[in-house]
Amino acid sequence: MRALVVSALSPDLSGTAIVDVTAPRPAPGKVLVRVKAASLNYPDLLMTRGEYQLKPPLPFVPGMEVAGEVIAGDGFAPGEAVVCGTRLGGFAEIVSADAAGIRRKPEHLSFAEAACVGTAYLTAYVALVRLGMAQPGEWALIHGATGGVGLAAVDLAKSLGCRVIASSRSAEKLARVAADYAPEATVIAPGFREKVKEITGGGANLIYDPVGGDVFDESTRCIAFGGRLLVVGFTSGRIATVSTNMPLIKGFSVVGVRAGEYGRQFPDKGRENMDAVWQLAEQGQIRPRVHAEYPLADWRAAFEAMRDSAMVGKLVLVP
């Protein structure tokens, strides 16, 4: 089968290529899935550079989540439409996944949409619900709102009854977010501090930050007393710092979010989190936005679009 293989770590993707590899074989506790769509996530890009906390031995196939059709496996019929998290191996024609992690695809979601639910919405759920304790009526400032992880947080926060302010560098992209997800307001970042304070009447209760750097710094200036600043990532490239007198005086919390690790540390809660996300998807209360689908052969264009943040929502590879 064809697979996207990282054989050497490099900043320019020169160590990554489509390669013919041996297809996985049936094994106890595993399900073989013919991949119909695989979601591209920022960690996939970071792993090609060796810049993510998960550093698999070389060579490896990236790809954290897929949707497809069952080839063989206990508990599932051949041809059944399913979704699964793989952590690795998703950017291939066939993937072997743990049977316990396989879910049947909601009928109203396409393969591409279904492949985009797990990672982004699980991150948003752990951040907003488990750690942020979001309440209806609270103001939620969502940074990076045009990317997959940020847009999932906009969507989820709306479904939770929060009043959402979507933030991005691009007014054009924010217009698309406003049209599709109807946040209460949008703001350009950086330079959002005073506008957020004006909109909220003092500050945001929840701030969801996958960007870091200057965006984090400014967020500490427009958070409400008792607010929760959720650190999701550092796509800006700079890991921010905060003087401890700031959260002391303003009475806010800085909370780190690692959704996958949260589930590994608390397995029962991890299963509850994923069940809750897929229940929302089944009920139509959340729906990811697929910006573009790329053939697996055009993987480089997809990775470069991810690098350049040239999308609103998620990018998908199709073998």
Side-chain angles (χ1 to χ4, degrees):
M1 68 172 186
R2 296 182 308 149
L4 184 63
V5 176
V6 180
S7 56
L9 304 177
S10 62
D12 60 357
L13 299 171
S14 60
T16 304
I18 298 287
V19 177
D20 288 325
V21 300
T22 302
R25 301 180 64 83
K30 298 286 188 177
V31 175
L32 291 184
V33 177
R34 188 173 305 281
V35 178
K36 293 291 188 179
S39 172
L40 179 59
N41 292 283
Y42 200 68
D44 297 316
L45 177 61
L46 293 180
M47 276 191 274
T48 68
R49 308 170 181 168
E51 296 175 358
Y52 191 58
Q53 50 259 36
L54 174 62
K55 294 178 170 58
L58 296 169
F60 67 90
V61 176
M64 303 173 67
E65 55 188 341
V66 307
E69 295 178 343
V70 171
I71 298 172
D74 294 340
F76 295 90
E80 194 165 4
V82 296
V83 291
C84 55
T86 56
R87 206 174 191 200
L88 291 170
F91 298 153
E93 293 178 321
I94 298 172
V95 69
S96 175
D98 291 336
I102 302 284
R103 293 175 181 271
R104 290 170 174 83
K105 181 182 75 66
E107 290 187 4
H108 66 280
L109 294 181
S110 68
F111 282 107
E113 289 171 330
C116 295
V117 171
T119 298
Y121 282 88
L122 179 63
T123 299
Y125 188 89
V126 171
L128 296 175
V129 177
R130 285 294 190 182
L131 302 176
M133 296 173 287
Q135 299 299 313
E138 287 192 311
W139 283 104
L141 172 59
I142 310 297
H143 292 306
T146 58
V149 169
L151 193 54
V154 170
D155 194 14
L156 179 62
K158 289 283 294 183
S159 76
L160 296 171
C162 294
R163 293 179 286 177
V164 174
I165 304 171
S167 156
S168 171
R169 293 176 297 176
S170 168
E172 181 180 356
K173 292 180 182 179
L174 282 174
R176 175 50 56 196
V177 173
D180 291 353
Y181 291 90
E184 277 64 26
T186 61
V187 294
I188 300 295
F192 54 86
R193 168 186 171 183
E194 294 304 325
K195 188 172 182 181
V196 168
K197 291 169 70 174
E198 177 185 349
I199 293 168
T200 61
N205 307 104
L206 282 165
I207 300 181
Y208 181 94
D209 181 18
V211 180
D214 295 345
V215 166
F216 176 93
D217 296 341
E218 196 171 350
S219 294
T220 66
R221 304 290 181 176
C222 62
I223 190 168
F225 192 89
R228 290 83 77 201
L229 205 170
L230 304 163
V231 179
V232 181
F234 319 102
T235 58
S236 68
R238 179 171 73 84
I239 298 175
T241 59
V242 61
S243 299
T244 54
N245 66 313
M246 287 288 292
L248 170 64
I249 293 169
K250 300 195 70 175
F252 68 85
S253 303
V254 179
V255 185
V257 179
R258 288 184 64 195
E261 187 60 27
Y262 184 95
R264 287 184 284 276
Q265 293 289 334
F266 309 109
D268 290 343
K269 291 180 180 179
R271 286 187 287 271
E272 290 172 5
N273 295 341
M274 193 58 83
D275 288 343
V277 166
W278 282 105
Q279 184 176 20
L280 290 169
E282 287 276 6
Q283 295 170 348
Q285 295 186 49
I286 56 174
R287 186 158 194 160
R289 184 179 193 276
V290 178
H291 179 83
E293 299 179 37
Y294 292 82
L296 185 60
D298 290 340
W299 67 270
R300 182 177 289 274
F303 272 65
E304 289 174 350
M306 172 69 72
R307 180 198 63 197
D308 298 337
S309 299
M311 70 281 186
V312 178
K314 297 282 286 182
L315 302 173
V316 171
L317 293 176
V318 179

